[in-house]
Amino acid sequence: MLEPGAAHPVLTIDEARQFEAALFGGDETREWPAMQRAGRAIADAVLRDYRELGAFPENARVLVLAGKGHNGGDALIAARHILEKHPRAKAAVCFVFGEQSLRPLAWRAHRELAQAAPERVAVFDAAAVQKDGAGFDLCLDGIFGFQFRPSVDERVAQLIDSVNALPVCLRAAVDMPSGSFRADFTYATGIVKTPVLENPNSGRVRYLDLGFFSGSPCRDTATLTPAALAPLRALRSSHTDKRDYGHLFIVGGSRKYPGAVLMSVQAALRSGAGLVTAFVPESLAPVFAAQVPEAIWHGMAESPGGGLALEDLPVFRERVSEKTSGTANATALVIGPGLSRDRESFALVTEILRINENIPVVLDADALQSDIIASGKAPRILTPHAGEYQRVEAAIPDGAVVVRKGPLTLIEHSGRKYISPFGGPVLARGGSGDLLAGMIGGLLAQAPGALLHAACRGTVWHGMAADCLARAHGQHAVRTTQLLDFLPEVLRGVSQ
Ligand SMILES: NC(=O)C1=CN([C@@H]2O[C@H](COP(=O)(O)OP(=O)(O)OC[C@H]3O[C@@H](n4cnc5c(N)ncnc54)[C@H](OP(=O)(O)O)[C@@H]3O)[C@@H](O)[C@H]2O)[C@@H](O)CC1
Ligand SMILES: Nc1ncnc2c1ncn2[C@@H]1O[C@H](COP(=O)(O)OP(=O)(O)O)[C@@H](O)[C@H]1O
C-alpha cells in the first residue's frame, strides 16, 4: 500500500453520485463553494496546460459551451477566472439548451461572469458559433457532467460536431467530454470517474484535487497524486554517505542500440541513487565513461552480434555480491534497455536472474520476454509498453509489479491498479521508456523492499517532468533526455 494521499480513489458513476450526495446532501450552499473551487482549479490547470502551445494570447477568444447544470457552472466560473487573469481576453458563451434552462448555481456563475467582464462576454447561439467559430483559442466544454443520461439531442450533437471541426487551439472538457466532443484535456474535478479513463475522446485526463479524499482509504483503482513524491522532497539525514542511497546495477546495451542504456544510466543518476554501475558491451564502455563519468562503467565481453556475451557471467556474479573494493554490493538491478534480441544476451540475463535470489530487479525493453521474466525468484518490476505487454502477458509471475506504459500509464500490483495522470505526447519519442526504467531502478536501489513505491514514484516523477518539459519548450522540438533537466523542478515545486 502507498502512503495516505499518494493515491485517490477512482469511482464509478454510481459511486461518485453517492459520494457527492453524502458530501453535499443536495444543499446548494455547500455545493457553491465546491463549484467555485472547481472553476478556479480548471482555469489554473487550463492556463498551465496551454503553455505547451506557448503563451496564452493576450486577446484570447474563449468559447464556453454551457449546459444546464453544475458542469456548465464550473465552465462559466473557469471562464471568469481566465478573463480576470487576462484583461483583454473575451468569452463567447453558448447556452446549449438556452439561457432559461440554467439551474440556479449555473445561473449564478453566468451572472458573475457577465458582471466581472461585461464588455468582454457575449452570448452566442449555435449558428453564431458556426459562423464566427474560426479563431477560438480555447473551448471549455461544460455541456454534460456525470449526471448525463443518453441520448444526446440531435441539435446538440450537431453543435458538438461543428465545434470539433473548428480550428480551436486547446479543447478542454469539464469532468467528461460531452457526447462526441473531442477533448485535448479532460479536467476531472474532485473525483476521477471510471468512464473518463475509458473514453477515447477524453484526451489527457487531469485530476483536480478539491480535497474530497484527504485521509480516505484507497480503492482497488486509484489515481496517483503529486503527494506520491513527498518522501523525495524531504531533507536527507546528515549522517549519510553514498552507500546509504543504494547501488543500482544496469545491464544492457548492444551495438545495435547503444543509446538506450546510456539514457537509463543518466536517469538513474538523477534519481538519487548513491552508486550506479553499468554492464555494457566492452566497445561502448570507454565512450560512455567519457560522457557520463558519474557512473561506474563495466565493459563486458561481446557476442558476435554485438550484444552481451555469456562468457562474462562469472564477472557479473562476482561484482553483484562484492563488498571488498570499497563499493557496496548491488541493491537493485535494471535489465534490458538496448539489450537487443541477441540469443547470447538473452541467455546471460536469464542466468543472472537464476543466480539472483534476493536483489529486486526492473525488467524493461528486450528483457521483456516470457522465458526471461519467469526466471528466478527475486522480486520484480516489469515495465512493458502495449506491444511488450501483449508479448509477455501470459507469463507475468504472481507478485510482480507491472508498469503498463502508454498515454495513460497503469501500475498493477496484487489486484490493485494505480493510474498516473501525468505526462503526455512529448514522451512519444525513442528513449522515454529507457529513462523511466533508470528512474524506477534508481528509486528501487534506495529502498529495495518498496517495489510498488518505486514504480509509482518513478512514473509520477517522469510524467510530471515531461509536463514541465512540454510547458517550457513545447511538445515538438525537444530531445528525450531534456526531461532529466526538469526532475529537480518537480521535486522543488518550481513553476509547475
Ligand atoms: N536510442 C536508442 O538506442 C533506443 C533504443 N531502444 C531500444 O530498442 C529496442 C526495441 O524496443 P521497441 O520498444 O522499439 O520495440 P520492440 O521490442 O520491437 O516492441 C515489441 C512490439 O511492440 C510494438 N510496439 C513498439 N513500441 C510500442 C509502443 N510504444 N506501444 C505499443 N506497441 C509498441 C511493436 O509492434 P508494431 O506496432 O511495430 O507492429 C513491436 O513489434 C529496445 O532494446 C529498446 O531499449 C528504444 O528504447 C528507443 C531508443
Ligand atoms: N502520448 C503519450 N502520452 C503519455 N505518455 C506517453 C505517450 N507516448 C509515450 N508515453 C510514455 O513514454 C514512455 C515510452 O516508453 P517506451 O515505448 O518503452 O519507449 P522507449 O522504448 O523508446 O524508451 C512510456 O513511459 C509511456 O507511458
Side-chain angles (χ1 to χ4, degrees):
M1 286 285 279
L2 299 179
E3 53 281 298
H8 287 179
V10 172
L11 303 184
T12 64
I13 297 284
D14 280 344
E15 287 170 336
R17 273 202 196 106
Q18 285 165 24
F19 185 89
E20 291 211 349
L23 199 61
F24 303 120
D27 177 353
E28 289 183 353
T29 58
R30 279 147 73 190
E31 285 169 345
W32 179 245
M35 251 171 100
Q36 292 281 2
R37 289 208 306 281
R40 176 182 285 278
I42 293 163
D44 291 345
V46 166
L47 292 174
R48 202 166 50 225
D49 287 326
Y50 200 97
R51 300 213 307 256
E52 296 200 9
L53 289 161
F56 193 68
E58 271 188 49
N59 298 317
R61 294 185 68 217
V62 181
L63 172 63
V64 185
L65 303 175
K68 306 172 193 175
H70 288 183
N71 202 250
D74 291 347
L76 291 162
I77 294 169
R80 171 163 65 80
H81 284 293
I82 291 170
L83 264 53
E84 279 170 359
K85 283 195 176 157
H86 293 273
R88 288 167 60 191
K90 291 187 172 148
V93 183
C94 178
F95 296 106
V96 174
F97 302 102
E99 207 165 330
Q100 293 70 25
S101 72
L102 292 181
R103 305 252 157 79
L105 294 186
W107 176 258
R108 189 168 166 186
H110 165 43
R111 207 180 53 221
E112 288 194 354
L113 169 65
Q115 283 169 352
E119 310 297 321
R120 296 185 285 138
V121 179
V123 175
F124 274 39
D125 62 14
V129 170
Q130 277 161 44
K131 185 163 162 282
D132 194 23
F136 283 116
D137 300 284
L138 170 66
C139 173
L140 297 173
D141 160 30
I143 304 178
F144 301 121
F146 70 95
Q147 305 289 355
F148 169 72
R149 286 181 307 275
S151 62
V152 181
D153 178 276
E154 184 59 28
R155 272 181 324 105
V156 177
Q158 271 175 15
L159 172 67
I160 292 171
D161 286 346
S162 61
V163 171
N164 279 340
L166 295 176
V168 181
C169 301
L170 190 153
R171 297 158 194 281
V174 175
D175 240 8
M176 60 177 251
S178 304
S180 59
F181 183 83
R182 280 203 302 275
D184 296 305
F185 292 89
T186 293
Y187 297 93
T189 52
I191 305 171
V192 179
K193 293 119 197 161
T194 326
V196 173
L197 301 174
E198 292 156 1
N199 186 338
N201 288 331
S202 294
R204 291 154 73 184
V205 177
R206 297 295 204 206
Y207 168 50
L208 305 182
D209 179 6
L210 302 183
F212 292 172
F213 292 113
S214 35
S216 298
C218 234
R219 306 273 186 110
D220 289 352
T221 305
T223 184
L224 292 164
T225 74
L229 301 181
L232 306 180
R233 296 191 165 113
L235 286 178
R236 289 178 161 185
S237 159
S238 54
H239 294 286
T240 51
D241 65 44
K242 63 191 174 211
R243 293 162 303 169
D244 295 302
Y245 299 104
H247 190 167
L248 178 67
F249 279 21
I250 301 186
V251 182
S254 57
R255 278 208 297 271
K256 188 171 179 198
Y257 300 124
V261 69
L262 184 60
M263 288 190 273
S264 291
V265 168
Q266 285 173 312
L269 288 164
R270 292 288 197 112
S271 71
L275 288 161
V276 177
T277 294
F279 295 82
V280 297
E282 58 196 356
S283 61
L284 303 178
V287 189
F288 288 174
Q291 282 190 58
V292 182
E294 297 92 336
I296 301 159
W297 293 94
H298 197 95
M300 301 270 278
E302 287 180 33
S303 69
L308 296 169
L310 188 56
E311 76 182 70
D312 268 353
L313 179 65
V315 176
F316 182 85
R317 192 199 306 246
E318 200 180 294
R319 291 295 301 269
V320 98
S321 55
E322 175 181 76
K323 286 185 189 150
T324 50
S325 67
T327 53
N329 57 337
T331 57
L333 308 177
V334 170
I335 301 179
L339 192 69
S340 81
R341 298 193 185 182
D342 184 285
R343 288 164 68 95
E344 259 204 76
S345 307
F346 280 179
L348 173 77
V349 300
T350 307
E351 280 309 309
I352 288 174
L353 288 167
R354 279 214 188 101
I355 59 175
N356 166 34
E357 298 266 307
N358 307 313
I359 305 167
V361 56
V362 179
L363 294 173
D364 182 47
D366 296 313
L368 292 166
Q369 310 293 337
S370 298
D371 301 351
I372 295 175
I373 66 167
S375 301
K377 294 199 171 56
R380 61 203 57 202
I381 299 173
L382 313 179
T383 55
H385 58 54
E388 290 158 344
Y389 185 78
Q390 241 180 351
R391 188 165 74 200
V392 300
E393 185 178 3
I396 293 173
D398 287 346
V401 175
V402 185
V403 180
R404 294 179 61 178
K405 299 180 296 191
L408 199 70
T409 292
L410 186 67
I411 296 150
E412 295 181 329
H413 179 55
S414 299
R416 286 180 185 271
K417 293 182 169 67
Y418 300 90
I419 284 142
S420 168
F422 305 102
V426 72
L427 286 169
R429 39 179 41 90
S432 295
D434 301 314
L435 296 183
L436 179 64
M439 290 171 66
I440 293 176
L443 293 168
L444 188 61
Q446 294 168 71
L451 277 84
L452 180 64
H453 289 79
C456 291
R457 280 183 200 144
T459 306
V460 169
W461 197 4
H462 179 259
M464 289 181 71
D467 289 336
C468 292
L469 167 63
R471 283 175 207 138
H473 298 299
Q475 300 177 347
H476 293 269
V478 296
R479 288 172 61 173
T480 311
T481 49
Q482 280 180 270
L483 179 150
L484 299 174
D485 295 333
F486 292 86
L487 294 175
E489 159 165 335
V490 171
L491 294 190
R492 295 159 66 82
V494 190
S495 75
Q496 287 167 32

